[in-house]
Amino acid sequence: MNKCLSWIIKQQKARLERRIVGSTNRWRFPKEQFSGDMLALSQSCRAFTVDLDEVLKNPERVYISKIQKLFSENLKNTAIRDGDADVILECLGFKWELHQPQLFQSETLTKLYLTALTRGIATPLQALSPGKIKERAPVKRMVISLKINDPAVTRAAFATALKNLYMQEVEMRLEDVLGVLASAHILQFGRLFQRCVIMMMNGLAPVNIKNFYLAGCRYKEEHLTTACEKWLEMNLVPLVGSQIHLRHIPQELLQKVLKSPRLFTFSEFHLLKTLLMWAYLQLNRKIQVIPVYESMLAFFHSFPKKCCFLDRDVGQTWMPLFLSLRLHSITSGKDLEELKHINFFPESWLVRVTASHYHALESGGDMAHLKDLTTQAVRFGLLFNQEYTTHSKMISIYGFFFEIKGMKHDATSYSFYMQRIRHTDVEAPPGVCERRAISLRAERLVKYEIRAQTLVGGRWQEFRTNQITQKFGFTKQCCRSHALKIQTVGIPIYASFAFIFPVS
């Protein structure tokens, strides 16, 4: 075994020497980490249980893995005398005492340790002699240094990461996980890094969504960034939109969410108000609470009227966000008047929306300008919570009235559907008298899709109907859509209804 260990150390020296790789006795020069001999490489990876694809990206992986295996096998029978550390790590102004078997879980520390060995800083290999040893010679402690410039790595977080070298499940708080993740990344401690990622994915909330998303981007952890995007697609309007943490959502992330076909919103106007609030919070950094809606409107109305807000310099940078809205889905005259009053959008946008509404009303509700259900549909949503057995909402558009509805059948069974109702069955809220169009057409052709999404065990479950084209009338046989029936233990359930009125 001593010969084997000496051989490992001499691998760093440039000398022409051949060695066997794999079961077919293929010979290569050890100085070259990998030649073009893919069969030998594959056999070497299999022997040391290393993924071949990962090795092709990082050739040092096999080399370090071999050393780790050789050291670990020999250290199994070599107890550390009286618990004394044999490696001192100088980092963050501290001296951390470590032991060889635990150190090899970190690729970074392994490289530092082997580099120190090859430079002859110390020779603790005497402690690794094979067989049963009654007495061990004193082991000289090796000193290695690691410089860290990442401000996310605090001493406490780094200490937690090192503690994980010795224990499988060290308790971590969600508010500390970013520092531990950064420490695990620097240490190249894969097991801990993935544990932090899973903890972050399961702990997403308005207060941490920004930092977790940016961490996923920084470390190129696609699973984490995707989890942040999906979480925000569901919670932007119903949860984040009513909290001051909306201010911290990066524009890049917001843009992705707005373009997603899975985005949940109660209506297009709810989404618009959320986006207006985000813009308001960017311009008022000292505000620490979400203002009332009227205060936000008054703020935008206070700008000079020589041009709309989006035509100003700051508005131009946010133009892509507001272009992602489906303003044609806002049909309420009161809501459109508010948008005109605050002078936020270019006048041409609102004129185009008003003109499309006029033409649709003139043609009996046909939305001739809308073709693609995925990107142009009118959207409404229901958030089905634990306390509901039924939940519904009335909607009206171009004189047609619909009820979108969700029902709970048992502990895990739900169904969601929409149905046409008569205008006489719609009760206006007390004190509200709004002029609204009423269509007397007996049938209305509708193209629609129903989605339901919920989070179960850290994974999003998604259910959906096909895109269905159906005539809706008033008789029992044709007033109701196809029902989306689902089985899930997840709650809440985000149910989305998307539709357009094709030319009929």
Side-chain angles (χ1 to χ4, degrees):
M1 187 63 184
N2 285 332
K3 293 181 180 180
C4 181
L5 292 171
S6 300
W7 172 78
I8 294 172
I9 298 170
K10 291 178 182 178
Q11 286 292 296
Q12 297 290 326
K13 299 179 180 179
R15 58 192 180 88
L16 293 177
E17 178 182 305
R18 293 180 178 271
R19 60 183 172 84
I20 296 175
V21 177
S23 59
T24 57
N25 296 336
R26 304 178 70 83
W27 292 85
R28 290 201 296 102
F29 289 112
K31 181 182 177 182
E32 299 177 5
Q33 293 240 351
F34 302 119
S35 64
D37 193 342
M38 295 300 292
L39 178 58
L41 174 59
S42 175
Q43 293 171 346
S44 182
C45 289
R46 191 182 304 112
F48 291 96
T49 62
V50 179
D51 185 77
L52 176 60
D53 292 334
E54 291 296 322
V55 169
L56 293 176
K57 298 176 185 177
N58 182 14
E60 285 187 333
R61 185 79 181 272
V62 161
Y63 177 70
I64 291 176
S65 296
K66 288 183 177 183
I67 295 173
Q68 289 175 344
K69 187 169 183 177
L70 288 168
F71 272 79
S72 298
E73 287 177 353
N74 208 13
L75 284 167
K76 287 178 183 178
N77 298 319
T78 308
I80 299 171
R81 187 187 59 187
D82 299 326
D84 289 343
D86 40 20
V87 179
I88 302 297
L89 171 65
E90 294 181 342
C91 182
L92 299 174
F94 269 46
K95 293 184 177 180
W96 314 85
E97 296 185 350
L98 303 175
H99 304 84
Q100 289 171 338
Q102 287 73 29
L103 175 146
F104 286 129
Q105 297 177 70
S106 161
E107 291 189 22
T108 299
L109 297 182
T110 301
K111 291 176 184 178
L112 291 174
Y113 182 78
L114 295 177
T115 301
L117 282 179
T118 57
R119 290 175 181 172
I121 294 178
T123 55
L125 297 177
Q126 297 172 6
L128 301 177
S129 55
K132 296 181 179 180
I133 303 176
K134 295 182 180 179
E135 295 184 2
R136 290 179 51 191
V139 176
K140 182 179 179 181
R141 290 186 177 186
M142 177 179 294
V143 178
I144 58 178
S145 298
L146 176 63
K147 292 183 179 180
I148 298 178
N149 298 318
D150 190 341
V153 181
T154 63
R155 287 174 176 172
F158 193 72
T160 301
L162 293 180
K163 190 175 180 180
N164 273 271
L165 295 172
Y166 292 82
M167 301 172 62
Q168 287 292 324
E169 293 295 331
V170 176
E171 184 177 350
M172 282 191 295
R173 299 184 306 171
L174 188 61
E175 52 265 37
D176 299 329
V177 71
L178 271 176
V180 180
L181 177 83
S183 301
H185 176 76
I186 289 173
L187 291 171
Q188 290 297 288
F189 187 4
R191 173 174 62 81
L192 177 59
F193 187 87
Q194 288 305 315
R195 183 186 166 201
C196 290
V197 167
I198 293 171
M199 187 175 181
M200 294 162 76
M201 290 169 60
N202 292 333
L204 289 170
V207 69
N208 59 37
I209 181 70
K210 171 197 172 182
N211 290 332
F212 286 8
Y213 173 76
L214 293 179
C217 294
R218 179 177 183 179
Y219 302 123
K220 296 180 174 58
E221 186 59 39
E222 187 175 348
H223 292 317
L224 180 56
T225 55
T226 300
C228 292
E229 291 168 13
K230 288 185 176 181
W231 184 90
L232 195 60
E233 287 166 4
M234 296 297 101
N235 292 289
L236 174 63
V237 173
L239 183 59
V240 183
S242 60
Q243 298 190 24
I244 197 66
H245 304 294
L246 174 65
R247 165 186 289 145
H248 305 299
I249 303 299
Q251 182 173 344
E252 173 200 356
L253 175 57
L254 197 55
Q255 181 73 38
K256 289 181 181 179
V257 169
L258 290 174
K259 289 189 173 184
S260 171
R262 296 181 299 270
L263 174 64
F264 174 85
T265 182
F266 299 113
S267 71
E268 203 66 32
F269 194 62
H270 279 86
L271 181 60
L272 168 61
K273 289 195 294 184
T274 300
L275 202 52
L276 286 174
M277 188 61 72
W278 178 87
Y280 174 87
L281 294 174
Q282 305 309 303
L283 298 170
N284 296 272
R285 306 299 296 186
K286 294 182 179 180
I287 296 293
Q288 296 302 314
V289 293
I290 291 287
V292 296
Y293 178 62
E294 289 72 20
S295 297
M296 180 187 68
L297 294 180
F299 171 78
F300 287 116
H301 179 66
S302 66
F303 283 85
K305 301 300 183 289
K306 60 181 180 180
C307 68
C308 72
F309 181 83
L310 286 181
D311 283 337
R312 299 178 179 276
D313 290 341
V314 63
Q316 285 288 327
T317 63
W318 298 335
M319 186 72 79
L321 295 176
F322 289 91
L323 282 171
S324 300
L325 293 171
R326 304 178 188 181
L327 293 181
H328 58 265
S329 297
I330 302 174
T331 59
S332 167
K334 177 178 176 293
D335 295 340
L336 290 172
E337 282 298 319
E338 282 183 356
L339 296 182
K340 182 178 179 181
H341 177 71
I342 64 175
N343 195 34
F344 189 90
F345 294 96
E347 185 178 1
S348 61
W349 291 22
L350 299 180
V351 169
R352 188 161 54 247
V353 170
T354 304
S356 69
H357 292 340
Y358 174 81
H359 289 303
L361 286 169
E362 284 287 297
S363 58
D366 293 349
M367 302 176 182
H369 59 293
L370 304 183
K371 305 296 182 183
D372 184 23
L373 188 67
T374 302
T375 60
Q376 296 179 308
V378 179
R379 297 178 289 191
F380 293 92
L382 292 177
L383 187 59
F384 204 95
N385 289 315
Q386 177 68 43
E387 64 270 18
Y388 294 142
T389 54
T390 62
H391 184 39
S392 65
K393 182 166 66 174
M394 304 294 181
I395 59 176
S396 67
I397 184 166
Y398 301 145
F400 297 91
F401 299 85
F402 292 86
E403 178 185 27
I404 56 177
K405 192 169 186 177
M407 298 182 65
K408 181 177 182 179
H409 303 290
D410 56 45
T412 61
S413 179
Y414 304 83
S415 63
F416 299 90
Y417 62 90
M418 58 187 290
Q419 62 182 3
R420 187 178 176 188
I421 57 177
R422 297 180 186 274
H423 68 278
T424 53
D425 296 330
V426 179
E427 296 183 4
V432 176
C433 182
E434 181 183 0
R435 296 187 300 272
R436 56 174 76 181
I438 296 173
S439 177
L440 299 179
R441 290 183 59 169
E443 293 183 332
R444 172 67 259 172
L445 190 65
V446 182
K447 185 176 183 180
Y448 65 92
E449 179 185 63
I450 304 173
R451 288 177 184 260
Q453 298 172 85
T454 186
L455 191 62
V456 178
R459 294 180 178 273
W460 285 99
Q461 289 184 343
E462 182 174 349
F463 310 89
R464 58 189 293 190
T465 65
N466 296 322
Q467 293 187 5
I468 302 169
T469 302
Q470 175 185 337
K471 283 187 177 181
F472 284 78
F474 291 117
T475 62
K476 188 175 182 180
Q477 291 77 12
C478 65
C479 72
R480 181 178 293 192
S481 72
H482 290 255
L484 175 63
K485 299 179 180 180
I486 68 173
Q487 294 281 338
T488 183
V489 295
I491 210 75
I493 300 172
Y494 303 79
S496 298
F497 300 78
F499 62 86
I500 58 176
F501 293 165
V503 176
S504 57

